[in-house]
Amino acid sequence: MSSRQASVSWGDVLLTAFAPAIWGSTYIVATELLPPDRPFTAALLRALPAGLLLVLFSRRLPARGEWGRVLVLSALNIGFFQALLFVAAYRLPGGLAAVVGAIQPLLVMGLAWALDHRRPPQLAVGAAVLGIAGMAALLLSPGSAWDAVGIAAALAGAALMAAGTYLTRRWQPRMPVLALTGWQLLLGGLILLPMTWAFDPPLPVLTGTQVGAYAYLSIVGALVAYALWFRGIARLSPVAVSSLGLLSPLTAVLLGWALLGQAMRGLSFVGLVAVLVSILAVHWAMSQGPARAAELQEAG
């Protein structure tokens, strides 16, 4: 029975990992295929249509007492997080923004410790620190610019995403995954709407390629990816799920190397291995506590 549970758990890990891997592909789509200088428009068109489709498909409203929680989750996971993400992306080199975002697993561990009194395993803490170091080796360049507003946006975005991941698991609204995903994307898109109107110029006439790129961001990058992400949060430790977020910049680097010919130094490969080891170690460490408790219960 234990081996069966472990295999199911690692299957859930693999499915959840597809979400940040998909998000890693959006960098090339945004920089190579979309109209420039419209970050909030890209975030809005990624979230709002996908949310509307899922809400219409699921036909499920939040329970009367859950609207407040769903709105908070929508703001944390989609609305304000996406806004801060693109502010950081436009003001910081991608590598520096990714390294700052890599603190999310540590933030989730801190929330679980402070609010649920769950002290994280030392191995998980060490693995999370290794992930940050690996991301720095993979992405940082000596000339990275430390823009204060960009750093603040990246830190705030990482904190919001960590809180959203933790609270999604802690609250677990009584809704199917697709309905919960749809409402978060829809409400998060509505939060992004006034930001888009205030800060982005109007869209030009779009080419077929640009329409296809926006459709990819919405259908694959939001609808599919966030459904897998929230499914993973419901089944896995929020710390373990947050560690998978490191796969997003890692995928972006690999795609840039494979498709755009971007160079990777020897230190980059060391960082890549360190990030992968970090993710596996966090998942292994977080699975040992429940597994050990189950063994002791069966023995007793």
Side-chain angles (χ1 to χ4, degrees):
M1 183 174 178
S2 297
S3 62
R4 183 175 179 272
Q5 288 176 338
S7 64
V8 172
S9 176
W10 282 108
D12 291 334
V13 169
L14 290 175
L15 276 176
T16 309
F18 277 113
I22 290 170
W23 293 330
S25 71
T26 60
Y27 172 78
I28 288 181
V29 173
T31 57
E32 300 297 318
L33 301 177
L34 296 183
D37 301 324
R38 290 167 175 84
F40 298 111
T41 301
L44 172 68
L45 293 180
R46 176 162 59 179
L48 194 58
L52 185 59
L53 285 174
L54 282 177
V55 167
L56 291 175
F57 173 78
S58 62
R59 298 185 180 182
R60 177 73 176 268
L61 291 172
R64 180 177 298 179
E66 291 186 335
W67 276 102
R69 289 184 173 185
V70 172
L71 181 59
V72 170
L73 295 177
S74 303
L76 293 174
N77 289 321
I78 308 296
F80 294 129
F81 168 70
Q82 290 288 331
L84 290 167
L85 174 70
F86 281 105
V87 169
Y90 270 73
R91 299 186 70 100
L92 296 175
L96 183 54
V99 172
V100 174
I103 67 172
Q104 285 185 35
L106 288 174
L107 294 177
V108 175
M109 291 181 204
L111 286 171
W113 193 357
L115 300 179
D116 292 337
H117 307 291
R118 295 185 197 166
R119 184 171 182 174
Q122 291 184 351
L123 176 60
V125 176
V129 173
L130 176 64
I132 297 172
M135 196 61 68
L138 180 66
L139 294 171
L140 280 183
S141 62
S144 296
W146 292 76
D147 178 82
V149 174
I151 291 291
L155 285 171
L160 289 181
M161 187 65 174
T165 300
Y166 170 77
L167 290 176
T168 301
R169 177 57 186 268
R170 191 181 198 212
W171 287 344
Q172 291 196 5
R174 298 184 301 276
M175 300 174 66
V177 170
L178 291 182
L180 178 61
T181 303
W183 278 106
Q184 289 193 68
L185 287 169
L186 178 59
L187 295 174
L190 292 176
I191 292 171
L192 285 162
L193 192 59
M195 302 181 200
T196 304
W197 181 82
F199 298 112
D200 279 4
L203 279 173
V205 177
L206 299 177
T207 66
T209 299
Q210 290 170 336
V211 171
Y214 278 122
Y216 171 81
L217 289 180
S218 184
I219 302 301
V220 180
L223 192 155
V224 174
Y226 272 108
L228 292 173
W229 184 253
F230 291 128
R231 177 189 180 275
I233 291 175
R235 294 167 179 256
L236 302 169
S237 159
V239 174
V241 172
S242 65
S243 73
L244 291 173
L246 300 181
L247 291 174
S248 181
L250 189 149
T251 302
V253 169
L254 291 177
L255 289 175
W257 170 70
L259 301 179
L260 302 179
Q262 296 174 350
M264 289 186 66
R265 309 180 310 276
L267 185 61
S268 298
F269 288 101
V270 174
L272 187 151
V273 172
V275 170
L276 292 176
V277 170
S278 166
I279 294 171
L280 291 173
V282 168
H283 281 271
W284 188 85
M286 297 308 297
S287 68
Q288 292 309 295
R292 181 58 179 161
E295 289 176 2
L296 291 175
Q297 186 175 7
E298 289 178 4

